[in-house]
Every structure is written in C-alpha cells, then in structure tokens.
Amino acid sequence: MPSLTAHLIHLEPLELNAATQHPFLSAAATSSLPLSELKQWLGQDRLYALAYVNFIGSLLSKAAISSSPDRVATPEWRAADLLIDCLTNIRTELKMFEETAETEGWLEEICNVQPSIQTKAYQTLFAGAAAPSQPLLVGLTVLWATEECYLRSWKYASSKMDHGLKPKDKDVMQRVFIPNWSCPEFEALVRRLGALVNKFGQAYDEDGWEWRECENWWKQILWAEKEFWPSVNEEK
C-alpha cells in the first residue's frame, strides 16, 4: 500500500511544479522582485498566517487525547504534539513578518491590507478542511500540503539564489525569508507532518472516500498555492 503523501505528490506533477516554481520565487531569489509585489505578498502571507492559527486550533479540537499513561504512543497524541509545534512555529513567523516589516518601514502598510481573493480562498479552504464533518486525516493532509508546497517553493528560490553574496549585498528576501523556509529545521517539521499524515492514512482504504477526499483537497491546495503568489514581470 503506497503512502498517502507519496500518492498525492505524484498525482498532478505539472500542477505541483506550477505551484512551487513560480516566477515570483525566481525574482525573489535574484533581487529582481518589485517592492510593490514583495509588500503585497508579505501583507497577504501575514493574513494567511493568522488564519493558520485558527485552523490549527480547530484541528487540535479534533484530536481525541487518551488519559492513559501510554498516550504518547497514540497517533492522536502525536497529532496534538505536532500541532502545538506548528502553532509555536507560526507564532515565530508572525513575529518575523512584523519585525522585518517594521525594520523596513512597511509595518503599518502591511498590517492595513484587506484579504485578497486568494487569501479569502485559503481562509475558506481552512474552514472547510476543519469542519466537523471532516475526519482529522483531511485537516492534517491540508496542513501538510500547504507546508510541503511552501518548502518546495522556497527551496526552489534558494536554488536560484547566489549564495556567494556578502550579507551587505543581500536584500530582505535573500537575508530573511528564503533562508527561513528552505532551512533543515523547517524541512524536518514538514517531514514530521508527512509521516503523521501517512500514519493516519493507513487506517483507511486507499480506494475509500477518505483518500479520494484528500486527493480533492490536494488539488485545491495546488491551485491556491499557485494563485497566491503575486504576478511579476518575468523579464525583470
């Protein structure tokens, strides 16, 4: 029986590449990203992160925690433990967004933006994946999918970056954001999420509706990730 994450990753490879190898990322890596697009992305990604906090809270409420002393070995406890780590991580990222924006003089600007259509789509997607009618597997799959795509996206950006640049020659994307999501620590978190999804996925038939439901959400994530990146002039 294949793992659920491997099954999803190989489901629509062209769409996965389109979502994670966007021109925005190449521009971010090569100091050719217009400031307006950078601030647009930062403001919307901050709103995404705030929605992510509520999403994690909803998933935590679905994890049935055993009171037995061996609870740490249960998938539900593993899920709760990892979701708490995700909350800690996103809190750190929100602080990074706001401190970086304040240093650059953009804090008020990025905090006053309204959610774009793409951000609203993610807010709706999170709410649907965490709905009471959905098994915890679906919510965990959506969480892993967003982070898997983000890891691939920023590793792609890192591959386009000149790592021989001196610190004084790096812009904010090269100094702060690309390293943050292409680092081994973030990859380790994503791999833990993937392993957890696969653990929960083993409880269901690969031909059952739960796996088909996860397929549908994976496709929605690929669309949402691609659309979330601001448009840039590829010639810049």
PDB file of all heavy atoms in Angstrom, residues 47-76:
ATOM      1  N   LEU A  47      -1.763  37.642   6.766  1.00  0.00           N
ATOM      2  CA  LEU A  47      -3.171  37.296   6.981  1.00  0.00           C
ATOM      3  C   LEU A  47      -3.374  35.786   6.892  1.00  0.00           C
ATOM      4  O   LEU A  47      -4.162  35.206   7.644  1.00  0.00           O
ATOM      5  CB  LEU A  47      -4.051  38.006   5.951  1.00  0.00           C
ATOM      6  CG  LEU A  47      -4.136  39.532   6.077  1.00  0.00           C
ATOM      7  CD1 LEU A  47      -4.995  40.102   4.956  1.00  0.00           C
ATOM      8  CD2 LEU A  47      -4.702  39.934   7.436  1.00  0.00           C
ATOM      9  N   TYR A  48      -2.673  35.160   5.969  1.00  0.00           N
ATOM     10  CA  TYR A  48      -2.709  33.689   5.859  1.00  0.00           C
ATOM     11  C   TYR A  48      -2.253  33.061   7.182  1.00  0.00           C
ATOM     12  O   TYR A  48      -2.880  32.126   7.685  1.00  0.00           O
ATOM     13  CB  TYR A  48      -1.807  33.238   4.718  1.00  0.00           C
ATOM     14  CG  TYR A  48      -1.464  31.768   4.733  1.00  0.00           C
ATOM     15  CD1 TYR A  48      -2.234  30.851   4.030  1.00  0.00           C
ATOM     16  CD2 TYR A  48      -0.367  31.289   5.453  1.00  0.00           C
ATOM     17  CE1 TYR A  48      -1.924  29.499   4.043  1.00  0.00           C
ATOM     18  CE2 TYR A  48      -0.052  29.945   5.486  1.00  0.00           C
ATOM     19  CZ  TYR A  48      -0.835  29.051   4.777  1.00  0.00           C
ATOM     20  OH  TYR A  48      -0.526  27.721   4.814  1.00  0.00           O
ATOM     21  N   ALA A  49      -1.171  33.579   7.752  1.00  0.00           N
ATOM     22  CA  ALA A  49      -0.639  33.031   8.994  1.00  0.00           C
ATOM     23  C   ALA A  49      -1.639  33.170  10.135  1.00  0.00           C
ATOM     24  O   ALA A  49      -1.759  32.273  10.983  1.00  0.00           O
ATOM     25  CB  ALA A  49       0.680  33.716   9.355  1.00  0.00           C
ATOM     26  N   LEU A  50      -2.355  34.277  10.178  1.00  0.00           N
ATOM     27  CA  LEU A  50      -3.364  34.456  11.221  1.00  0.00           C
ATOM     28  C   LEU A  50      -4.505  33.442  11.059  1.00  0.00           C
ATOM     29  O   LEU A  50      -5.006  32.898  12.050  1.00  0.00           O
ATOM     30  CB  LEU A  50      -3.903  35.889  11.180  1.00  0.00           C
ATOM     31  CG  LEU A  50      -2.895  36.975  11.611  1.00  0.00           C
ATOM     32  CD1 LEU A  50      -3.443  38.356  11.292  1.00  0.00           C
ATOM     33  CD2 LEU A  50      -2.575  36.857  13.100  1.00  0.00           C
ATOM     34  N   ALA A  51      -4.904  33.174   9.819  1.00  0.00           N
ATOM     35  CA  ALA A  51      -5.929  32.154   9.572  1.00  0.00           C
ATOM     36  C   ALA A  51      -5.410  30.764   9.937  1.00  0.00           C
ATOM     37  O   ALA A  51      -6.168  29.906  10.411  1.00  0.00           O
ATOM     38  CB  ALA A  51      -6.361  32.191   8.109  1.00  0.00           C
ATOM     39  N   TYR A  52      -4.137  30.559   9.743  1.00  0.00           N
ATOM     40  CA  TYR A  52      -3.486  29.284  10.056  1.00  0.00           C
ATOM     41  C   TYR A  52      -3.604  28.982  11.554  1.00  0.00           C
ATOM     42  O   TYR A  52      -3.818  27.841  11.957  1.00  0.00           O
ATOM     43  CB  TYR A  52      -2.026  29.409   9.624  1.00  0.00           C
ATOM     44  CG  TYR A  52      -1.110  28.221   9.792  1.00  0.00           C
ATOM     45  CD1 TYR A  52      -0.704  27.484   8.688  1.00  0.00           C
ATOM     46  CD2 TYR A  52      -0.568  27.879  11.031  1.00  0.00           C
ATOM     47  CE1 TYR A  52       0.199  26.435   8.810  1.00  0.00           C
ATOM     48  CE2 TYR A  52       0.322  26.836  11.168  1.00  0.00           C
ATOM     49  CZ  TYR A  52       0.703  26.115  10.051  1.00  0.00           C
ATOM     50  OH  TYR A  52       1.597  25.078  10.189  1.00  0.00           O
ATOM     51  N   VAL A  53      -3.486  30.023  12.381  1.00  0.00           N
ATOM     52  CA  VAL A  53      -3.599  29.834  13.830  1.00  0.00           C
ATOM     53  C   VAL A  53      -4.965  29.253  14.183  1.00  0.00           C
ATOM     54  O   VAL A  53      -5.076  28.281  14.949  1.00  0.00           O
ATOM     55  CB  VAL A  53      -3.367  31.160  14.572  1.00  0.00           C
ATOM     56  CG1 VAL A  53      -3.668  30.998  16.063  1.00  0.00           C
ATOM     57  CG2 VAL A  53      -1.936  31.653  14.375  1.00  0.00           C
ATOM     58  N   ASN A  54      -6.023  29.836  13.636  1.00  0.00           N
ATOM     59  CA  ASN A  54      -7.371  29.325  13.897  1.00  0.00           C
ATOM     60  C   ASN A  54      -7.555  27.912  13.356  1.00  0.00           C
ATOM     61  O   ASN A  54      -8.234  27.075  13.969  1.00  0.00           O
ATOM     62  CB  ASN A  54      -8.415  30.256  13.285  1.00  0.00           C
ATOM     63  CG  ASN A  54      -8.488  31.584  14.012  1.00  0.00           C
ATOM     64  OD1 ASN A  54      -8.217  31.665  15.197  1.00  0.00           O
ATOM     65  ND2 ASN A  54      -8.865  32.635  13.304  1.00  0.00           N
ATOM     66  N   PHE A  55      -6.960  27.648  12.206  1.00  0.00           N
ATOM     67  CA  PHE A  55      -7.040  26.321  11.594  1.00  0.00           C
ATOM     68  C   PHE A  55      -6.420  25.270  12.504  1.00  0.00           C
ATOM     69  O   PHE A  55      -7.012  24.214  12.761  1.00  0.00           O
ATOM     70  CB  PHE A  55      -6.326  26.357  10.239  1.00  0.00           C
ATOM     71  CG  PHE A  55      -6.259  25.051   9.507  1.00  0.00           C
ATOM     72  CD1 PHE A  55      -7.384  24.268   9.319  1.00  0.00           C
ATOM     73  CD2 PHE A  55      -5.054  24.610   8.974  1.00  0.00           C
ATOM     74  CE1 PHE A  55      -7.324  23.062   8.627  1.00  0.00           C
ATOM     75  CE2 PHE A  55      -4.973  23.414   8.274  1.00  0.00           C
ATOM     76  CZ  PHE A  55      -6.111  22.636   8.109  1.00  0.00           C
ATOM     77  N   ILE A  56      -5.231  25.564  13.037  1.00  0.00           N
ATOM     78  CA  ILE A  56      -4.566  24.618  13.925  1.00  0.00           C
ATOM     79  C   ILE A  56      -5.411  24.389  15.175  1.00  0.00           C
ATOM     80  O   ILE A  56      -5.546  23.259  15.672  1.00  0.00           O
ATOM     81  CB  ILE A  56      -3.169  25.121  14.323  1.00  0.00           C
ATOM     82  CG1 ILE A  56      -2.263  25.229  13.088  1.00  0.00           C
ATOM     83  CG2 ILE A  56      -2.536  24.184  15.356  1.00  0.00           C
ATOM     84  CD1 ILE A  56      -1.950  23.928  12.420  1.00  0.00           C
ATOM     85  N   GLY A  57      -6.010  25.465  15.699  1.00  0.00           N
ATOM     86  CA  GLY A  57      -6.864  25.321  16.868  1.00  0.00           C
ATOM     87  C   GLY A  57      -8.031  24.377  16.613  1.00  0.00           C
ATOM     88  O   GLY A  57      -8.380  23.547  17.466  1.00  0.00           O
ATOM     89  N   SER A  58      -8.622  24.491  15.432  1.00  0.00           N
ATOM     90  CA  SER A  58      -9.736  23.601  15.082  1.00  0.00           C
ATOM     91  C   SER A  58      -9.286  22.153  14.967  1.00  0.00           C
ATOM     92  O   SER A  58      -9.999  21.230  15.382  1.00  0.00           O
ATOM     93  CB  SER A  58     -10.375  24.058  13.763  1.00  0.00           C
ATOM     94  OG  SER A  58     -10.931  25.340  13.887  1.00  0.00           O
ATOM     95  N   LEU A  59      -8.107  21.943  14.420  1.00  0.00           N
ATOM     96  CA  LEU A  59      -7.593  20.576  14.301  1.00  0.00           C
ATOM     97  C   LEU A  59      -7.277  19.991  15.677  1.00  0.00           C
ATOM     98  O   LEU A  59      -7.523  18.804  15.927  1.00  0.00           O
ATOM     99  CB  LEU A  59      -6.348  20.543  13.412  1.00  0.00           C
ATOM    100  CG  LEU A  59      -6.534  20.930  11.947  1.00  0.00           C
ATOM    101  CD1 LEU A  59      -5.241  20.710  11.177  1.00  0.00           C
ATOM    102  CD2 LEU A  59      -7.668  20.147  11.298  1.00  0.00           C
ATOM    103  N   LEU A  60      -6.746  20.819  16.558  1.00  0.00           N
ATOM    104  CA  LEU A  60      -6.457  20.342  17.911  1.00  0.00           C
ATOM    105  C   LEU A  60      -7.727  19.847  18.604  1.00  0.00           C
ATOM    106  O   LEU A  60      -7.702  18.865  19.356  1.00  0.00           O
ATOM    107  CB  LEU A  60      -5.810  21.452  18.739  1.00  0.00           C
ATOM    108  CG  LEU A  60      -4.288  21.578  18.643  1.00  0.00           C
ATOM    109  CD1 LEU A  60      -3.825  22.886  19.269  1.00  0.00           C
ATOM    110  CD2 LEU A  60      -3.613  20.396  19.322  1.00  0.00           C
ATOM    111  N   SER A  61      -8.835  20.532  18.344  1.00  0.00           N
ATOM    112  CA  SER A  61     -10.092  20.135  18.988  1.00  0.00           C
ATOM    113  C   SER A  61     -10.597  18.789  18.484  1.00  0.00           C
ATOM    114  O   SER A  61     -11.443  18.156  19.117  1.00  0.00           O
ATOM    115  CB  SER A  61     -11.160  21.208  18.756  1.00  0.00           C
ATOM    116  OG  SER A  61     -11.597  21.218  17.405  1.00  0.00           O
ATOM    117  N   LYS A  62     -10.072  18.321  17.345  1.00  0.00           N
ATOM    118  CA  LYS A  62     -10.494  17.037  16.784  1.00  0.00           C
ATOM    119  C   LYS A  62      -9.683  15.855  17.328  1.00  0.00           C
ATOM    120  O   LYS A  62     -10.077  14.702  17.166  1.00  0.00           O
ATOM    121  CB  LYS A  62     -10.330  17.053  15.258  1.00  0.00           C
ATOM    122  CG  LYS A  62     -11.367  17.888  14.511  1.00  0.00           C
ATOM    123  CD  LYS A  62     -10.992  17.921  13.021  1.00  0.00           C
ATOM    124  CE  LYS A  62     -12.069  18.574  12.187  1.00  0.00           C
ATOM    125  NZ  LYS A  62     -13.191  17.671  11.921  1.00  0.00           N
ATOM    126  N   ALA A  63      -8.540  16.155  17.933  1.00  0.00           N
ATOM    127  CA  ALA A  63      -7.663  15.077  18.406  1.00  0.00           C
ATOM    128  C   ALA A  63      -8.162  14.555  19.744  1.00  0.00           C
ATOM    129  O   ALA A  63      -8.136  15.251  20.758  1.00  0.00           O
ATOM    130  CB  ALA A  63      -6.229  15.594  18.541  1.00  0.00           C
ATOM    131  N   ALA A  64      -8.639  13.326  19.750  1.00  0.00           N
ATOM    132  CA  ALA A  64      -9.158  12.709  20.977  1.00  0.00           C
ATOM    133  C   ALA A  64      -7.977  12.204  21.810  1.00  0.00           C
ATOM    134  O   ALA A  64      -7.363  11.186  21.481  1.00  0.00           O
ATOM    135  CB  ALA A  64     -10.099  11.570  20.626  1.00  0.00           C
ATOM    136  N   ILE A  65      -7.662  12.935  22.863  1.00  0.00           N
ATOM    137  CA  ILE A  65      -6.485  12.609  23.666  1.00  0.00           C
ATOM    138  C   ILE A  65      -6.835  11.593  24.739  1.00  0.00           C
ATOM    139  O   ILE A  65      -7.742  11.794  25.546  1.00  0.00           O
ATOM    140  CB  ILE A  65      -5.912  13.878  24.334  1.00  0.00           C
ATOM    141  CG1 ILE A  65      -5.628  14.952  23.277  1.00  0.00           C
ATOM    142  CG2 ILE A  65      -4.648  13.541  25.116  1.00  0.00           C
ATOM    143  CD1 ILE A  65      -4.648  14.530  22.220  1.00  0.00           C
ATOM    144  N   SER A  66      -6.081  10.500  24.759  1.00  0.00           N
ATOM    145  CA  SER A  66      -6.274   9.474  25.775  1.00  0.00           C
ATOM    146  C   SER A  66      -5.677   9.944  27.106  1.00  0.00           C
ATOM    147  O   SER A  66      -4.682  10.674  27.136  1.00  0.00           O
ATOM    148  CB  SER A  66      -5.589   8.177  25.334  1.00  0.00           C
ATOM    149  OG  SER A  66      -5.563   7.246  26.385  1.00  0.00           O
ATOM    150  N   SER A  67      -6.284   9.522  28.207  1.00  0.00           N
ATOM    151  CA  SER A  67      -5.766   9.859  29.532  1.00  0.00           C
ATOM    152  C   SER A  67      -4.833   8.776  30.068  1.00  0.00           C
ATOM    153  O   SER A  67      -4.306   8.889  31.180  1.00  0.00           O
ATOM    154  CB  SER A  67      -6.925  10.060  30.516  1.00  0.00           C
ATOM    155  OG  SER A  67      -7.690   8.871  30.622  1.00  0.00           O
ATOM    156  N   SER A  68      -4.616   7.727  29.291  1.00  0.00           N
ATOM    157  CA  SER A  68      -3.771   6.626  29.750  1.00  0.00           C
ATOM    158  C   SER A  68      -2.305   7.044  29.754  1.00  0.00           C
ATOM    159  O   SER A  68      -1.902   7.952  29.014  1.00  0.00           O
ATOM    160  CB  SER A  68      -3.956   5.407  28.845  1.00  0.00           C
ATOM    161  OG  SER A  68      -3.440   5.669  27.558  1.00  0.00           O
ATOM    162  N   PRO A  69      -1.471   6.412  30.575  1.00  0.00           N
ATOM    163  CA  PRO A  69      -0.057   6.798  30.655  1.00  0.00           C
ATOM    164  C   PRO A  69       0.723   6.540  29.369  1.00  0.00           C
ATOM    165  O   PRO A  69       1.797   7.116  29.166  1.00  0.00           O
ATOM    166  CB  PRO A  69       0.484   5.951  31.816  1.00  0.00           C
ATOM    167  CG  PRO A  69      -0.461   4.800  31.923  1.00  0.00           C
ATOM    168  CD  PRO A  69      -1.800   5.332  31.529  1.00  0.00           C
ATOM    169  N   ASP A  70       0.203   5.678  28.496  1.00  0.00           N
ATOM    170  CA  ASP A  70       0.908   5.386  27.249  1.00  0.00           C
ATOM    171  C   ASP A  70       0.367   6.224  26.085  1.00  0.00           C
ATOM    172  O   ASP A  70       0.531   5.865  24.925  1.00  0.00           O
ATOM    173  CB  ASP A  70       0.824   3.898  26.910  1.00  0.00           C
ATOM    174  CG  ASP A  70      -0.610   3.414  26.718  1.00  0.00           C
ATOM    175  OD1 ASP A  70      -1.546   4.181  27.042  1.00  0.00           O
ATOM    176  OD2 ASP A  70      -0.791   2.274  26.238  1.00  0.00           O
ATOM    177  N   ARG A  71      -0.271   7.345  26.400  1.00  0.00           N
ATOM    178  CA  ARG A  71      -0.889   8.174  25.361  1.00  0.00           C
ATOM    179  C   ARG A  71       0.136   8.694  24.338  1.00  0.00           C
ATOM    180  O   ARG A  71      -0.204   8.954  23.193  1.00  0.00           O
ATOM    181  CB  ARG A  71      -1.606   9.370  25.976  1.00  0.00           C
ATOM    182  CG  ARG A  71      -0.692  10.383  26.617  1.00  0.00           C
ATOM    183  CD  ARG A  71      -1.431  11.554  27.248  1.00  0.00           C
ATOM    184  NE  ARG A  71      -0.511  12.526  27.802  1.00  0.00           N
ATOM    185  CZ  ARG A  71       0.101  12.396  28.978  1.00  0.00           C
ATOM    186  NH1 ARG A  71      -0.141  11.318  29.704  1.00  0.00           N
ATOM    187  NH2 ARG A  71       0.941  13.315  29.412  1.00  0.00           N
ATOM    188  N   VAL A  72       1.399   8.836  24.778  1.00  0.00           N
ATOM    189  CA  VAL A  72       2.398   9.413  23.877  1.00  0.00           C
ATOM    190  C   VAL A  72       2.632   8.540  22.656  1.00  0.00           C
ATOM    191  O   VAL A  72       3.171   9.005  21.647  1.00  0.00           O
ATOM    192  CB  VAL A  72       3.732   9.662  24.610  1.00  0.00           C
ATOM    193  CG1 VAL A  72       3.557  10.726  25.680  1.00  0.00           C
ATOM    194  CG2 VAL A  72       4.276   8.373  25.220  1.00  0.00           C
ATOM    195  N   ALA A  73       2.235   7.274  22.730  1.00  0.00           N
ATOM    196  CA  ALA A  73       2.426   6.360  21.597  1.00  0.00           C
ATOM    197  C   ALA A  73       1.247   6.384  20.639  1.00  0.00           C
ATOM    198  O   ALA A  73       1.316   5.778  19.565  1.00  0.00           O
ATOM    199  CB  ALA A  73       2.641   4.940  22.107  1.00  0.00           C
ATOM    200  N   THR A  74       0.188   7.086  20.980  1.00  0.00           N
ATOM    201  CA  THR A  74      -1.007   7.082  20.133  1.00  0.00           C
ATOM    202  C   THR A  74      -0.886   8.114  19.014  1.00  0.00           C
ATOM    203  O   THR A  74      -0.270   9.170  19.196  1.00  0.00           O
ATOM    204  CB  THR A  74      -2.271   7.386  20.960  1.00  0.00           C
ATOM    205  OG1 THR A  74      -2.200   8.737  21.453  1.00  0.00           O
ATOM    206  CG2 THR A  74      -2.398   6.420  22.135  1.00  0.00           C
ATOM    207  N   PRO A  75      -1.483   7.846  17.860  1.00  0.00           N
ATOM    208  CA  PRO A  75      -1.455   8.824  16.768  1.00  0.00           C
ATOM    209  C   PRO A  75      -2.092  10.151  17.168  1.00  0.00           C
ATOM    210  O   PRO A  75      -1.637  11.219  16.726  1.00  0.00           O
ATOM    211  CB  PRO A  75      -2.254   8.132  15.656  1.00  0.00           C
ATOM    212  CG  PRO A  75      -2.154   6.681  15.953  1.00  0.00           C
ATOM    213  CD  PRO A  75      -2.119   6.581  17.452  1.00  0.00           C
ATOM    214  N   GLU A  76      -3.125  10.098  17.995  1.00  0.00           N
ATOM    215  CA  GLU A  76      -3.810  11.331  18.393  1.00  0.00           C
ATOM    216  C   GLU A  76      -2.895  12.238  19.213  1.00  0.00           C
ATOM    217  O   GLU A  76      -2.904  13.456  19.042  1.00  0.00           O
ATOM    218  CB  GLU A  76      -5.074  10.987  19.192  1.00  0.00           C
ATOM    219  CG  GLU A  76      -6.178  10.348  18.365  1.00  0.00           C
ATOM    220  CD  GLU A  76      -5.928   8.884  18.062  1.00  0.00           C
ATOM    221  OE1 GLU A  76      -5.031   8.271  18.701  1.00  0.00           O
ATOM    222  OE2 GLU A  76      -6.623   8.322  17.182  1.00  0.00           O
TER     223      GLU A  76
END
